[in-house]
Structure formats: structure tokens, C-alpha cells
PDB file of all heavy atoms in Angstrom:
ATOM      1  N   ASN A 728     113.259 106.477 100.462  1.00 93.00           N
ATOM      2  CA  ASN A 728     113.797 106.577  99.107  1.00 93.00           C
ATOM      3  C   ASN A 728     113.648 105.311  98.274  1.00 93.00           C
ATOM      4  O   ASN A 728     114.117 105.248  97.141  1.00 93.00           O
ATOM      5  CB  ASN A 728     115.279 106.970  99.179  1.00 93.00           C
ATOM      6  CG  ASN A 728     115.477 108.328  99.823  1.00 93.00           C
ATOM      7  OD1 ASN A 728     114.928 109.321  99.352  1.00 93.00           O
ATOM      8  ND2 ASN A 728     116.244 108.371 100.900  1.00 93.00           N
ATOM      9  N   GLY A 729     112.975 104.308  98.833  1.00 94.00           N
ATOM     10  CA  GLY A 729     112.772 103.087  98.066  1.00 94.00           C
ATOM     11  C   GLY A 729     112.455 101.921  98.980  1.00 94.00           C
ATOM     12  O   GLY A 729     112.416 102.057 100.207  1.00 94.00           O
ATOM     13  N   THR A 730     112.218 100.757  98.399  1.00 95.00           N
ATOM     14  CA  THR A 730     111.890  99.574  99.183  1.00 95.00           C
ATOM     15  C   THR A 730     113.149  98.964  99.787  1.00 95.00           C
ATOM     16  O   THR A 730     114.259  99.155  99.285  1.00 95.00           O
ATOM     17  CB  THR A 730     111.166  98.523  98.334  1.00 95.00           C
ATOM     18  OG1 THR A 730     112.018  98.114  97.243  1.00 95.00           O
ATOM     19  CG2 THR A 730     109.864  99.067  97.785  1.00 95.00           C
ATOM     20  N   VAL A 731     112.948  98.218 100.872  1.00 94.00           N
ATOM     21  CA  VAL A 731     114.046  97.534 101.546  1.00 94.00           C
ATOM     22  C   VAL A 731     113.654  96.089 101.807  1.00 94.00           C
ATOM     23  O   VAL A 731     112.481  95.734 101.784  1.00 94.00           O
ATOM     24  CB  VAL A 731     114.403  98.229 102.888  1.00 94.00           C
ATOM     25  CG1 VAL A 731     114.882  99.651 102.644  1.00 94.00           C
ATOM     26  CG2 VAL A 731     113.197  98.229 103.836  1.00 94.00           C
ATOM     27  N   ALA A 732     114.646  95.256 102.052  1.00 92.00           N
ATOM     28  CA  ALA A 732     114.414  93.868 102.438  1.00 92.00           C
ATOM     29  C   ALA A 732     114.697  93.729 103.930  1.00 92.00           C
ATOM     30  O   ALA A 732     115.692  94.265 104.423  1.00 92.00           O
ATOM     31  CB  ALA A 732     115.317  92.927 101.648  1.00 92.00           C
ATOM     32  N   ARG A 733     113.843  93.029 104.634  1.00 94.00           N
ATOM     33  CA  ARG A 733     114.013  92.844 106.065  1.00 94.00           C
ATOM     34  C   ARG A 733     113.634  91.416 106.463  1.00 94.00           C
ATOM     35  O   ARG A 733     112.685  90.842 105.932  1.00 94.00           O
ATOM     36  CB  ARG A 733     113.133  93.827 106.857  1.00 94.00           C
ATOM     37  CG  ARG A 733     113.476  95.304 106.652  1.00 94.00           C
ATOM     38  CD  ARG A 733     114.789  95.673 107.287  1.00 94.00           C
ATOM     39  NE  ARG A 733     115.144  97.074 107.112  1.00 94.00           N
ATOM     40  CZ  ARG A 733     116.047  97.506 106.233  1.00 94.00           C
ATOM     41  NH1 ARG A 733     116.673  96.652 105.441  1.00 94.00           N
ATOM     42  NH2 ARG A 733     116.345  98.796 106.159  1.00 94.00           N
ATOM     43  N   GLY A 734     114.369  90.885 107.428  1.00 93.00           N
ATOM     44  CA  GLY A 734     114.032  89.593 108.007  1.00 93.00           C
ATOM     45  C   GLY A 734     113.038  89.798 109.137  1.00 93.00           C
ATOM     46  O   GLY A 734     113.401  90.297 110.209  1.00 93.00           O
ATOM     47  N   CYS A 735     111.772  89.486 108.909  1.00 96.00           N
ATOM     48  CA  CYS A 735     110.722  89.706 109.906  1.00 96.00           C
ATOM     49  C   CYS A 735     110.701  88.531 110.884  1.00 96.00           C
ATOM     50  O   CYS A 735     110.614  87.369 110.479  1.00 96.00           O
ATOM     51  CB  CYS A 735     109.369  89.848 109.213  1.00 96.00           C
ATOM     52  SG  CYS A 735     109.282  91.293 108.122  1.00 96.00           S
ATOM     53  N   CYS A 736     110.777  88.845 112.172  1.00 96.00           N
ATOM     54  CA  CYS A 736     110.989  87.831 113.198  1.00 96.00           C
ATOM     55  C   CYS A 736     109.719  87.506 113.979  1.00 96.00           C
ATOM     56  O   CYS A 736     108.967  88.408 114.342  1.00 96.00           O
ATOM     57  CB  CYS A 736     112.053  88.311 114.187  1.00 96.00           C
ATOM     58  SG  CYS A 736     113.638  88.725 113.421  1.00 96.00           S
ATOM     59  N   GLU A 737     109.532  86.228 114.236  1.00 96.00           N
ATOM     60  CA  GLU A 737     108.523  85.789 115.191  1.00 96.00           C
ATOM     61  C   GLU A 737     109.259  85.393 116.460  1.00 96.00           C
ATOM     62  O   GLU A 737     110.153  84.528 116.424  1.00 96.00           O
ATOM     63  CB  GLU A 737     107.734  84.598 114.648  1.00 96.00           C
ATOM     64  CG  GLU A 737     106.635  84.125 115.593  1.00 96.00           C
ATOM     65  CD  GLU A 737     105.868  82.922 115.078  1.00 96.00           C
ATOM     66  OE1 GLU A 737     106.051  82.555 113.898  1.00 96.00           O
ATOM     67  OE2 GLU A 737     105.095  82.340 115.873  1.00 96.00           O
ATOM     68  N   ILE A 738     108.933  86.055 117.543  1.00 97.00           N
ATOM     69  CA  ILE A 738     109.653  85.854 118.797  1.00 97.00           C
ATOM     70  C   ILE A 738     108.699  85.294 119.844  1.00 97.00           C
ATOM     71  O   ILE A 738     107.576  85.771 119.999  1.00 97.00           O
ATOM     72  CB  ILE A 738     110.269  87.185 119.280  1.00 97.00           C
ATOM     73  CG1 ILE A 738     111.253  87.718 118.223  1.00 97.00           C
ATOM     74  CG2 ILE A 738     110.969  87.012 120.624  1.00 97.00           C
ATOM     75  CD1 ILE A 738     111.681  89.135 118.431  1.00 97.00           C
ATOM     76  N   GLU A 739     109.140  84.272 120.534  1.00 97.00           N
ATOM     77  CA  GLU A 739     108.308  83.628 121.553  1.00 97.00           C
ATOM     78  C   GLU A 739     109.102  83.507 122.849  1.00 97.00           C
ATOM     79  O   GLU A 739     110.173  82.881 122.881  1.00 97.00           O
ATOM     80  CB  GLU A 739     107.881  82.237 121.073  1.00 97.00           C
ATOM     81  CG  GLU A 739     106.875  81.552 121.966  1.00 97.00           C
ATOM     82  CD  GLU A 739     106.400  80.234 121.367  1.00 97.00           C
ATOM     83  OE1 GLU A 739     107.042  79.207 121.622  1.00 97.00           O
ATOM     84  OE2 GLU A 739     105.385  80.260 120.627  1.00 97.00           O
ATOM     85  N   LYS A 740     108.589  84.161 123.906  1.00 97.00           N
ATOM     86  CA  LYS A 740     109.229  84.134 125.230  1.00 97.00           C
ATOM     87  C   LYS A 740     110.691  84.566 125.166  1.00 97.00           C
ATOM     88  O   LYS A 740     111.565  83.990 125.836  1.00 97.00           O
ATOM     89  CB  LYS A 740     109.106  82.748 125.852  1.00 97.00           C
ATOM     90  CG  LYS A 740     107.663  82.332 126.115  1.00 97.00           C
ATOM     91  CD  LYS A 740     107.582  80.961 126.763  1.00 97.00           C
ATOM     92  CE  LYS A 740     106.118  80.569 127.028  1.00 97.00           C
ATOM     93  NZ  LYS A 740     105.998  79.219 127.629  1.00 97.00           N
ATOM     94  N   GLY A 741     110.965  85.563 124.308  1.00 97.00           N
ATOM     95  CA  GLY A 741     112.297  86.125 124.240  1.00 97.00           C
ATOM     96  C   GLY A 741     113.259  85.414 123.312  1.00 97.00           C
ATOM     97  O   GLY A 741     114.425  85.801 123.207  1.00 97.00           O
ATOM     98  N   TYR A 742     112.771  84.381 122.612  1.00 98.00           N
ATOM     99  CA  TYR A 742     113.642  83.618 121.708  1.00 98.00           C
ATOM    100  C   TYR A 742     113.089  83.643 120.283  1.00 98.00           C
ATOM    101  O   TYR A 742     111.869  83.634 120.072  1.00 98.00           O
ATOM    102  CB  TYR A 742     113.783  82.174 122.178  1.00 98.00           C
ATOM    103  CG  TYR A 742     114.677  82.034 123.391  1.00 98.00           C
ATOM    104  CD1 TYR A 742     114.167  82.225 124.676  1.00 98.00           C
ATOM    105  CD2 TYR A 742     116.043  81.752 123.257  1.00 98.00           C
ATOM    106  CE1 TYR A 742     114.982  82.124 125.789  1.00 98.00           C
ATOM    107  CE2 TYR A 742     116.859  81.645 124.371  1.00 98.00           C
ATOM    108  CZ  TYR A 742     116.327  81.835 125.634  1.00 98.00           C
ATOM    109  OH  TYR A 742     117.144  81.750 126.734  1.00 98.00           O
ATOM    110  N   LEU A 743     113.987  83.665 119.327  1.00 98.00           N
ATOM    111  CA  LEU A 743     113.592  83.666 117.924  1.00 98.00           C
ATOM    112  C   LEU A 743     112.950  82.328 117.570  1.00 98.00           C
ATOM    113  O   LEU A 743     113.534  81.268 117.798  1.00 98.00           O
ATOM    114  CB  LEU A 743     114.824  83.909 117.041  1.00 98.00           C
ATOM    115  CG  LEU A 743     114.575  84.020 115.536  1.00 98.00           C
ATOM    116  CD1 LEU A 743     113.715  85.241 115.217  1.00 98.00           C
ATOM    117  CD2 LEU A 743     115.910  84.090 114.784  1.00 98.00           C
ATOM    118  N   LYS A 744     111.748  82.402 117.011  1.00 97.00           N
ATOM    119  CA  LYS A 744     111.036  81.199 116.607  1.00 97.00           C
ATOM    120  C   LYS A 744     111.061  81.025 115.098  1.00 97.00           C
ATOM    121  O   LYS A 744     111.161  79.919 114.582  1.00 97.00           O
ATOM    122  CB  LYS A 744     109.583  81.246 117.097  1.00 97.00           C
ATOM    123  CG  LYS A 744     108.777  80.002 116.780  1.00 97.00           C
ATOM    124  CD  LYS A 744     107.356  80.112 117.327  1.00 97.00           C
ATOM    125  CE  LYS A 744     106.554  78.860 116.999  1.00 97.00           C
ATOM    126  NZ  LYS A 744     105.149  78.972 117.502  1.00 97.00           N
ATOM    127  N   ASP A 745     110.969  82.142 114.371  1.00 95.00           N
ATOM    128  CA  ASP A 745     110.933  82.079 112.908  1.00 95.00           C
ATOM    129  C   ASP A 745     111.411  83.411 112.355  1.00 95.00           C
ATOM    130  O   ASP A 745     111.293  84.454 113.013  1.00 95.00           O
ATOM    131  CB  ASP A 745     109.501  81.800 112.438  1.00 95.00           C
ATOM    132  CG  ASP A 745     109.459  81.237 111.021  1.00 95.00           C
ATOM    133  OD1 ASP A 745     110.541  81.031 110.425  1.00 95.00           O
ATOM    134  OD2 ASP A 745     108.350  81.016 110.505  1.00 95.00           O
ATOM    135  N   ILE A 746     111.959  83.385 111.155  1.00 93.00           N
ATOM    136  CA  ILE A 746     112.383  84.604 110.484  1.00 93.00           C
ATOM    137  C   ILE A 746     112.049  84.471 108.999  1.00 93.00           C
ATOM    138  O   ILE A 746     112.426  83.500 108.357  1.00 93.00           O
ATOM    139  CB  ILE A 746     113.883  84.887 110.718  1.00 93.00           C
ATOM    140  CG1 ILE A 746     114.295  86.202 110.086  1.00 93.00           C
ATOM    141  CG2 ILE A 746     114.753  83.745 110.280  1.00 93.00           C
ATOM    142  CD1 ILE A 746     115.651  86.688 110.554  1.00 93.00           C
ATOM    143  N   ILE A 747     111.295  85.431 108.500  1.00 92.00           N
ATOM    144  CA  ILE A 747     110.834  85.389 107.111  1.00 92.00           C
ATOM    145  C   ILE A 747     111.349  86.621 106.372  1.00 92.00           C
ATOM    146  O   ILE A 747     111.137  87.753 106.814  1.00 92.00           O
ATOM    147  CB  ILE A 747     109.289  85.351 107.035  1.00 92.00           C
ATOM    148  CG1 ILE A 747     108.755  84.117 107.772  1.00 92.00           C
ATOM    149  CG2 ILE A 747     108.820  85.356 105.590  1.00 92.00           C
ATOM    150  CD1 ILE A 747     107.239  84.089 107.895  1.00 92.00           C
ATOM    151  N   GLU A 748     112.007  86.406 105.274  1.00 89.00           N
ATOM    152  CA  GLU A 748     112.557  87.506 104.491  1.00 89.00           C
ATOM    153  C   GLU A 748     111.467  88.155 103.630  1.00 89.00           C
ATOM    154  O   GLU A 748     110.816  87.480 102.826  1.00 89.00           O
ATOM    155  CB  GLU A 748     113.680  86.989 103.577  1.00 89.00           C
ATOM    156  CG  GLU A 748     114.375  88.048 102.759  1.00 89.00           C
ATOM    157  CD  GLU A 748     115.433  88.812 103.529  1.00 89.00           C
ATOM    158  OE1 GLU A 748     115.651  88.504 104.716  1.00 89.00           O
ATOM    159  OE2 GLU A 748     116.047  89.714 102.937  1.00 89.00           O
ATOM    160  N   ARG A 749     111.239  89.448 103.864  1.00 93.00           N
ATOM    161  CA  ARG A 749     110.343  90.232 103.022  1.00 93.00           C
ATOM    162  C   ARG A 749     111.208  91.168 102.192  1.00 93.00           C
ATOM    163  O   ARG A 749     111.901  92.020 102.742  1.00 93.00           O
ATOM    164  CB  ARG A 749     109.361  91.043 103.876  1.00 93.00           C
ATOM    165  CG  ARG A 749     108.507  90.214 104.826  1.00 93.00           C
ATOM    166  CD  ARG A 749     107.592  89.260 104.094  1.00 93.00           C
ATOM    167  NE  ARG A 749     106.664  88.582 105.003  1.00 93.00           N
ATOM    168  CZ  ARG A 749     105.934  87.527 104.669  1.00 93.00           C
ATOM    169  NH1 ARG A 749     106.025  87.026 103.444  1.00 93.00           N
ATOM    170  NH2 ARG A 749     105.120  86.964 105.548  1.00 93.00           N
ATOM    171  N   LYS A 750     111.177  91.016 100.889  1.00 88.00           N
ATOM    172  CA  LYS A 750     112.171  91.678 100.042  1.00 88.00           C
ATOM    173  C   LYS A 750     111.790  93.069  99.570  1.00 88.00           C
ATOM    174  O   LYS A 750     112.650  93.849  99.191  1.00 88.00           O
ATOM    175  CB  LYS A 750     112.504  90.787  98.844  1.00 88.00           C
ATOM    176  CG  LYS A 750     113.199  89.492  99.244  1.00 88.00           C
ATOM    177  CD  LYS A 750     113.651  88.693  98.045  1.00 88.00           C
ATOM    178  CE  LYS A 750     114.412  87.446  98.478  1.00 88.00           C
ATOM    179  NZ  LYS A 750     114.875  86.628  97.322  1.00 88.00           N
ATOM    180  N   LYS A 751     110.531  93.404  99.577  1.00 95.00           N
ATOM    181  CA  LYS A 751     110.121  94.716  99.088  1.00 95.00           C
ATOM    182  C   LYS A 751     109.159  95.357 100.078  1.00 95.00           C
ATOM    183  O   LYS A 751     107.948  95.176  99.994  1.00 95.00           O
ATOM    184  CB  LYS A 751     109.477  94.601  97.701  1.00 95.00           C
ATOM    185  CG  LYS A 751     110.458  94.248  96.596  1.00 95.00           C
ATOM    186  CD  LYS A 751     109.795  94.310  95.224  1.00 95.00           C
ATOM    187  CE  LYS A 751     110.802  94.029  94.116  1.00 95.00           C
ATOM    188  NZ  LYS A 751     110.183  94.109  92.777  1.00 95.00           N
ATOM    189  N   ILE A 752     109.721  96.115 101.023  1.00 97.00           N
ATOM    190  CA  ILE A 752     108.920  96.824 102.023  1.00 97.00           C
ATOM    191  C   ILE A 752     109.086  98.319 101.781  1.00 97.00           C
ATOM    192  O   ILE A 752     110.206  98.829 101.740  1.00 97.00           O
ATOM    193  CB  ILE A 752     109.369  96.490 103.459  1.00 97.00           C
ATOM    194  CG1 ILE A 752     109.414  94.968 103.664  1.00 97.00           C
ATOM    195  CG2 ILE A 752     108.438  97.138 104.471  1.00 97.00           C
ATOM    196  CD1 ILE A 752     109.941  94.551 105.020  1.00 97.00           C
ATOM    197  N   ASN A 753     107.959  99.027 101.621  1.00 96.00           N
ATOM    198  CA  ASN A 753     108.060 100.461 101.337  1.00 96.00           C
ATOM    199  C   ASN A 753     108.093 101.281 102.623  1.00 96.00           C
ATOM    200  O   ASN A 753     108.072 100.743 103.732  1.00 96.00           O
ATOM    201  CB  ASN A 753     106.934 100.914 100.399  1.00 96.00           C
ATOM    202  CG  ASN A 753     105.552 100.818 101.032  1.00 96.00           C
ATOM    203  OD1 ASN A 753     105.405 100.752 102.261  1.00 96.00           O
ATOM    204  ND2 ASN A 753     104.511 100.830 100.205  1.00 96.00           N
ATOM    205  N   SER A 754     108.140 102.590 102.480  1.00 95.00           N
ATOM    206  CA  SER A 754     108.294 103.477 103.637  1.00 95.00           C
ATOM    207  C   SER A 754     107.084 103.474 104.560  1.00 95.00           C
ATOM    208  O   SER A 754     107.164 103.945 105.696  1.00 95.00           O
ATOM    209  CB  SER A 754     108.574 104.902 103.170  1.00 95.00           C
ATOM    210  OG  SER A 754     107.498 105.380 102.364  1.00 95.00           O
ATOM    211  N   ASP A 755     105.960 102.937 104.092  1.00 96.00           N
ATOM    212  CA  ASP A 755     104.753 102.833 104.919  1.00 96.00           C
ATOM    213  C   ASP A 755     104.663 101.503 105.668  1.00 96.00           C
ATOM    214  O   ASP A 755     103.690 101.253 106.378  1.00 96.00           O
ATOM    215  CB  ASP A 755     103.499 102.987 104.051  1.00 96.00           C
ATOM    216  CG  ASP A 755     103.378 104.388 103.457  1.00 96.00           C
ATOM    217  OD1 ASP A 755     103.789 105.342 104.140  1.00 96.00           O
ATOM    218  OD2 ASP A 755     102.892 104.512 102.319  1.00 96.00           O
ATOM    219  N   GLY A 756     105.658 100.638 105.477  1.00 97.00           N
ATOM    220  CA  GLY A 756     105.627  99.339 106.134  1.00 97.00           C
ATOM    221  C   GLY A 756     104.793  98.308 105.409  1.00 97.00           C
ATOM    222  O   GLY A 756     104.419  97.288 105.991  1.00 97.00           O
ATOM    223  N   LYS A 757     104.514  98.551 104.147  1.00 97.00           N
ATOM    224  CA  LYS A 757     103.775  97.581 103.337  1.00 97.00           C
ATOM    225  C   LYS A 757     104.755  96.819 102.443  1.00 97.00           C
ATOM    226  O   LYS A 757     105.698  97.404 101.918  1.00 97.00           O
ATOM    227  CB  LYS A 757     102.730  98.278 102.469  1.00 97.00           C
ATOM    228  CG  LYS A 757     101.639  98.984 103.275  1.00 97.00           C
ATOM    229  CD  LYS A 757     100.675  99.708 102.343  1.00 97.00           C
ATOM    230  CE  LYS A 757      99.586 100.432 103.125  1.00 97.00           C
ATOM    231  NZ  LYS A 757      98.679 101.195 102.237  1.00 97.00           N
ATOM    232  N   TYR A 758     104.494  95.512 102.276  1.00 97.00           N
ATOM    233  CA  TYR A 758     105.374  94.727 101.418  1.00 97.00           C
ATOM    234  C   TYR A 758     104.565  94.069 100.300  1.00 97.00           C
ATOM    235  O   TYR A 758     103.338  93.910 100.391  1.00 97.00           O
ATOM    236  CB  TYR A 758     106.122  93.663 102.218  1.00 97.00           C
ATOM    237  CG  TYR A 758     105.295  92.471 102.632  1.00 97.00           C
ATOM    238  CD1 TYR A 758     105.234  91.318 101.838  1.00 97.00           C
ATOM    239  CD2 TYR A 758     104.565  92.475 103.822  1.00 97.00           C
ATOM    240  CE1 TYR A 758     104.470  90.217 102.213  1.00 97.00           C
ATOM    241  CE2 TYR A 758     103.807  91.382 104.209  1.00 97.00           C
ATOM    242  CZ  TYR A 758     103.767  90.253 103.400  1.00 97.00           C
ATOM    243  OH  TYR A 758     103.002  89.164 103.769  1.00 97.00           O
ATOM    244  N   THR A 759     105.283  93.711  99.247  1.00 96.00           N
ATOM    245  CA  THR A 759     104.649  93.013  98.124  1.00 96.00           C
ATOM    246  C   THR A 759     105.533  91.857  97.686  1.00 96.00           C
ATOM    247  O   THR A 759     106.759  91.931  97.759  1.00 96.00           O
ATOM    248  CB  THR A 759     104.410  93.963  96.940  1.00 96.00           C
ATOM    249  OG1 THR A 759     103.739  93.246  95.888  1.00 96.00           O
ATOM    250  CG2 THR A 759     105.713  94.537  96.400  1.00 96.00           C
ATOM    251  N   GLU A 760     104.893  90.792  97.254  1.00 92.00           N
ATOM    252  CA  GLU A 760     105.624  89.649  96.716  1.00 92.00           C
ATOM    253  C   GLU A 760     105.433  89.512  95.211  1.00 92.00           C
ATOM    254  O   GLU A 760     106.247  88.901  94.532  1.00 92.00           O
ATOM    255  CB  GLU A 760     105.186  88.363  97.428  1.00 92.00           C
ATOM    256  CG  GLU A 760     105.567  88.345  98.913  1.00 92.00           C
ATOM    257  CD  GLU A 760     105.150  87.066  99.600  1.00 92.00           C
ATOM    258  OE1 GLU A 760     104.350  86.307  99.004  1.00 92.00           O
ATOM    259  OE2 GLU A 760     105.617  86.816 100.731  1.00 92.00           O
ATOM    260  N   ASP A 761     104.335  90.107  94.716  1.00 91.00           N
ATOM    261  CA  ASP A 761     104.052  89.993  93.288  1.00 91.00           C
ATOM    262  C   ASP A 761     104.152  91.328  92.559  1.00 91.00           C
ATOM    263  O   ASP A 761     103.938  91.400  91.333  1.00 91.00           O
ATOM    264  CB  ASP A 761     102.663  89.386  93.067  1.00 91.00           C
ATOM    265  CG  ASP A 761     101.543  90.220  93.706  1.00 91.00           C
ATOM    266  OD1 ASP A 761     101.808  91.364  94.144  1.00 91.00           O
ATOM    267  OD2 ASP A 761     100.405  89.720  93.783  1.00 91.00           O
ATOM    268  N   GLY A 762     104.458  92.406  93.287  1.00 88.00           N
ATOM    269  CA  GLY A 762     104.587  93.717  92.662  1.00 88.00           C
ATOM    270  C   GLY A 762     103.257  94.441  92.504  1.00 88.00           C
ATOM    271  O   GLY A 762     103.230  95.593  92.060  1.00 88.00           O
ATOM    272  N   GLU A 763     102.162  93.811  92.873  1.00 91.00           N
ATOM    273  CA  GLU A 763     100.836  94.415  92.700  1.00 91.00           C
ATOM    274  C   GLU A 763     100.067  94.533  94.021  1.00 91.00           C
ATOM    275  O   GLU A 763      99.509  95.581  94.331  1.00 91.00           O
ATOM    276  CB  GLU A 763     100.018  93.588  91.697  1.00 91.00           C
ATOM    277  CG  GLU A 763     100.616  93.580  90.283  1.00 91.00           C
ATOM    278  CD  GLU A 763      99.789  92.759  89.320  1.00 91.00           C
ATOM    279  OE1 GLU A 763      98.723  92.231  89.736  1.00 91.00           O
ATOM    280  OE2 GLU A 763     100.198  92.632  88.148  1.00 91.00           O
ATOM    281  N   THR A 764     100.056  93.464  94.791  1.00 96.00           N
ATOM    282  CA  THR A 764      99.315  93.452  96.052  1.00 96.00           C
ATOM    283  C   THR A 764     100.240  93.845  97.203  1.00 96.00           C
ATOM    284  O   THR A 764     101.307  93.242  97.384  1.00 96.00           O
ATOM    285  CB  THR A 764      98.734  92.050  96.330  1.00 96.00           C
ATOM    286  OG1 THR A 764      97.910  91.660  95.230  1.00 96.00           O
ATOM    287  CG2 THR A 764      97.908  92.071  97.612  1.00 96.00           C
ATOM    288  N   TRP A 765      99.835  94.861  97.976  1.00 97.00           N
ATOM    289  CA  TRP A 765     100.641  95.340  99.091  1.00 97.00           C
ATOM    290  C   TRP A 765      99.967  94.972 100.409  1.00 97.00           C
ATOM    291  O   TRP A 765      98.777  95.190 100.590  1.00 97.00           O
ATOM    292  CB  TRP A 765     100.843  96.851  98.990  1.00 97.00           C
ATOM    293  CG  TRP A 765     101.707  97.235  97.825  1.00 97.00           C
ATOM    294  CD1 TRP A 765     101.310  97.412  96.537  1.00 97.00           C
ATOM    295  CD2 TRP A 765     103.120  97.430  97.845  1.00 97.00           C
ATOM    296  NE1 TRP A 765     102.397  97.729  95.741  1.00 97.00           N
ATOM    297  CE2 TRP A 765     103.510  97.745  96.526  1.00 97.00           C
ATOM    298  CE3 TRP A 765     104.092  97.391  98.846  1.00 97.00           C
ATOM    299  CZ2 TRP A 765     104.843  98.007  96.181  1.00 97.00           C
ATOM    300  CZ3 TRP A 765     105.415  97.651  98.513  1.00 97.00           C
ATOM    301  CH2 TRP A 765     105.784  97.955  97.195  1.00 97.00           C
ATOM    302  N   ILE A 766     100.751  94.404 101.314  1.00 97.00           N
ATOM    303  CA  ILE A 766     100.247  93.924 102.598  1.00 97.00           C
ATOM    304  C   ILE A 766     100.903  94.718 103.721  1.00 97.00           C
ATOM    305  O   ILE A 766     102.128  94.850 103.763  1.00 97.00           O
ATOM    306  CB  ILE A 766     100.545  92.423 102.766  1.00 97.00           C
ATOM    307  CG1 ILE A 766      99.922  91.625 101.615  1.00 97.00           C
ATOM    308  CG2 ILE A 766     100.039  91.915 104.116  1.00 97.00           C
ATOM    309  CD1 ILE A 766     100.383  90.191 101.536  1.00 97.00           C
ATOM    310  N   GLN A 767     100.080  95.236 104.620  1.00 98.00           N
ATOM    311  CA  GLN A 767     100.594  96.066 105.715  1.00 98.00           C
ATOM    312  C   GLN A 767     101.205  95.215 106.827  1.00 98.00           C
ATOM    313  O   GLN A 767     100.588  94.274 107.319  1.00 98.00           O
ATOM    314  CB  GLN A 767      99.470  96.922 106.296  1.00 98.00           C
ATOM    315  CG  GLN A 767      99.915  97.844 107.420  1.00 98.00           C
ATOM    316  CD  GLN A 767     100.790  98.980 106.926  1.00 98.00           C
ATOM    317  OE1 GLN A 767     100.371  99.751 106.052  1.00 98.00           O
ATOM    318  NE2 GLN A 767     101.994  99.086 107.462  1.00 98.00           N
ATOM    319  N   LEU A 768     102.419  95.562 107.209  1.00 97.00           N
ATOM    320  CA  LEU A 768     103.052  94.959 108.379  1.00 97.00           C
ATOM    321  C   LEU A 768     102.880  95.896 109.573  1.00 97.00           C
ATOM    322  O   LEU A 768     102.937  97.119 109.409  1.00 97.00           O
ATOM    323  CB  LEU A 768     104.553  94.750 108.128  1.00 97.00           C
ATOM    324  CG  LEU A 768     104.943  93.656 107.135  1.00 97.00           C
ATOM    325  CD1 LEU A 768     106.412  93.792 106.756  1.00 97.00           C
ATOM    326  CD2 LEU A 768     104.675  92.274 107.721  1.00 97.00           C
ATOM    327  N   PRO A 769     102.691  95.366 110.778  1.00 97.00           N
ATOM    328  CA  PRO A 769     102.654  96.233 111.957  1.00 97.00           C
ATOM    329  C   PRO A 769     103.952  97.028 112.076  1.00 97.00           C
ATOM    330  O   PRO A 769     105.035  96.499 111.801  1.00 97.00           O
ATOM    331  CB  PRO A 769     102.497  95.239 113.121  1.00 97.00           C
ATOM    332  CG  PRO A 769     101.879  94.024 112.503  1.00 97.00           C
ATOM    333  CD  PRO A 769     102.447  93.945 111.119  1.00 97.00           C
TER     334      PRO A 769
END
């Protein structure tokens, strides 16, 4: 029903290494930072 914001995690050997906030992720798992270019997340 719309985009969501998620903290995308980089995990190394079972521990959190990094977390990046992606603010506009659509139902297909694609996010945008500029409202025009959409990047696919696994």
C-alpha cells in the first residue's frame, strides 16, 4: 500500500556491522533516494 522505511543491516559473523536507513522502499524491494532512480535490494 505504499513505501516504507527500513534499517538495512550488514551482518558479519552474526554481529551487526552497519545499519543504513532506506526511507522509501516499495513493495518490490526497490528503494529511491531522489524520487526518480529506483535501486533493487535483495
Side-chain angles (χ1 to χ4, degrees):
N728 298 303
T730 60
V731 298
R733 297 290 180 257
C735 297
C736 303
E737 182 181 350
I738 300 167
E739 187 175 89
K740 297 181 180 179
Y742 286 84
L743 183 64
K744 183 179 180 181
D745 200 2
I746 183 166
I747 301 173
E748 183 81 1
R749 303 297 187 193
K750 294 186 177 180
K751 290 187 177 181
I752 308 176
N753 66 19
S754 60
D755 294 326
K757 296 177 181 177
Y758 75 93
T759 182
E760 294 181 347
D761 59 11
E763 296 180 2
T764 303
W765 292 84
I766 302 168
Q767 181 70 57
L768 289 167

